[in-house]
Amino acid sequence: MMRVRLDVSYDGDAYHGWAAQPGLPTVEGTLAEALATLLRRDVALVVAGRTDAGVHARGQVAHLDLTQAEWEMLVRGRKGEDPAVALRRRLFGVLSRHGHTIVVWRVSPVPAEFDARFSALSRSYTYRIADRPESMDPLRRRETTWHPAPLDASAMARETTAVLGLRDFGSFCKPRPHSTTIRELQRFDIERDDAGVILARLTADAFCHHMVRALIGALMEVGQGKRPEGWLFQRMQEPSWDEMVRLAPARGLVLDAVHYPPDDQLASRALQTRALRDT
């Protein structure tokens, strides 16, 4: 068997999240169906991070395993074509039936030690909020949350320092059985761009369920004046998912990139991550 990496972008508005669900359109289900059409068998996909319904991606990463014969057969008569180019080309054709809501923009063979989920060093997200009429661009409505009242972006920016570093994010992670809520938040920036849109940029070793949306939701409450400054610090003192959690809308959230170590460090990184975090 050989391992193949897929770099994927998608419009989350069209899907009920990444993870396959019976009877519902999902990114995983649609991509797996396209691969099955080409390979004439079901293929298991491993993804860097399962996004929620409505969340977009520019830099999602997944991997699958193929036999050498399957890899070589992808060219189908185009002598001399790179199988990676052939798979990308053919996936583009099959996925175009879904209105180009999913694009596999790069295909590459990778070492057997590569694991899209456990080998990752970090993930980076962006969240966009338009809180002024002049910044509510209808051409970017799919990737922007429209907020009906002005937000204090400076107060929101000051809050981010309270949650940086290696911490227990139990107040911002929806608990799952046998899973830890300890994460390392490496970057959390808030700024307004030239159009007046509030941009939040976050990078962490990994994000647990609803973590980004819960953090942004808490910041928005501070930005509205519904919560005092220091609210995120207060929440971090006694990690608990409770009725005070407010999730920001999924629309506005984009997975920008997943970062990996050099090939010679893939196996050790995967082992380290598995030891820290249960599946």
Side-chain angles (χ1 to χ4, degrees), residues 101-179:
T101 51
I102 302 175
V103 174
V104 177
W105 50 271
R106 182 167 62 197
V107 174
S108 49
V110 290
E113 295 79 13
F114 177 85
D115 186 295
R117 181 183 180 190
F118 289 112
S119 294
L121 291 172
S122 61
R123 289 90 169 157
S124 295
Y125 282 87
T126 299
Y127 195 92
R128 290 171 50 90
I129 308 168
D131 63 334
R132 301 171 176 174
E134 65 271 20
S135 64
M136 295 180 178
D137 183 354
L139 300 183
R140 302 196 68 173
R141 68 191 183 281
R142 289 181 179 271
E143 58 173 331
T144 308
T145 288
W146 288 6
H147 193 269
L151 296 168
D152 185 341
S154 296
M156 294 167 66
R158 289 191 292 271
E159 286 292 290
T160 62
T161 58
V163 293
L164 287 171
L166 183 65
R167 300 175 183 274
D168 186 343
F169 285 88
S171 295
F172 302 101
C173 291
K174 189 172 184 180
R176 286 178 165 173
H178 313 297
S179 293

Side-chain angles (χ1 to χ4, degrees), residues 35-50:
L35 287 163
T37 298
L38 299 178
L39 298 168
R40 300 291 188 262
R41 69 172 177 88
D42 292 336
V43 176
L45 289 166
V46 176
V47 69
R50 291 175 291 180

Side-chain angles (χ1 to χ4, degrees), residues 25-258:
T26 67
V27 180
E28 181 184 26
T30 303
L31 184 53
E33 182 180 336
L35 287 163
T37 298
L38 299 178
L39 298 168
R40 300 291 188 262
R41 69 172 177 88
D42 292 336
V43 176
L45 289 166
V46 176
V47 69
R50 291 175 291 180
T51 50
D52 293 339
V55 176
H56 312 296
R58 288 193 181 91
Q60 180 68 278
V61 178
H63 81 250
L64 65 150
D65 293 324
L66 302 178
T67 66
Q68 188 66 37
E70 288 173 330
W71 180 248
E72 294 171 359
M73 285 291 291
L74 288 167
V75 298
R76 289 186 62 180
R78 294 199 178 196
K79 189 176 181 180
E81 185 177 30
D82 184 337
V85 174
L87 180 54
R88 178 168 55 85
R89 171 180 56 79
R90 296 179 65 192
L91 279 172
F92 184 85
V94 175
L95 290 169
S96 66
R97 302 168 190 170
H98 300 274
H100 300 294
T101 51
I102 302 175
V103 174
V104 177
W105 50 271
R106 182 167 62 197
V107 174
S108 49
V110 290
E113 295 79 13
F114 177 85
D115 186 295
R117 181 183 180 190
F118 289 112
S119 294
L121 291 172
S122 61
R123 289 90 169 157
S124 295
Y125 282 87
T126 299
Y127 195 92
R128 290 171 50 90
I129 308 168
D131 63 334
R132 301 171 176 174
E134 65 271 20
S135 64
M136 295 180 178
D137 183 354
L139 300 183
R140 302 196 68 173
R141 68 191 183 281
R142 289 181 179 271
E143 58 173 331
T144 308
T145 288
W146 288 6
H147 193 269
L151 296 168
D152 185 341
S154 296
M156 294 167 66
R158 289 191 292 271
E159 286 292 290
T160 62
T161 58
V163 293
L164 287 171
L166 183 65
R167 300 175 183 274
D168 186 343
F169 285 88
S171 295
F172 302 101
C173 291
K174 189 172 184 180
R176 286 178 165 173
H178 313 297
S179 293
T180 179
T181 54
I182 296 175
R183 297 291 190 272
E184 183 183 12
L185 188 57
Q186 301 161 356
R187 178 188 183 186
F188 196 1
D189 299 334
I190 302 289
E191 64 177 6
R192 285 193 186 272
D193 67 10
D194 293 340
V197 174
I198 297 174
L199 296 180
R201 295 185 178 90
L202 305 88
T203 299
D205 59 342
F207 291 92
C208 44
H209 194 205
H210 288 333
M211 178 174 164
V212 178
R213 292 172 60 197
L215 285 168
I216 299 296
L219 282 188
M220 290 171 72
E221 291 209 299
V222 173
Q224 294 176 74
K226 291 184 176 181
R227 298 289 185 182
E229 290 194 44
W231 173 240
L232 271 71
F233 177 80
Q234 181 182 336
R235 293 285 292 154
M236 293 293 289
Q237 302 316 298
E238 297 182 14
S240 175
W241 182 272
D242 55 31
E243 70 279 357
M244 290 184 286
V245 175
R246 296 290 182 270
L247 293 182
R251 177 173 294 182
L253 184 57
V254 178
L255 173 59
D256 284 319
V258 184

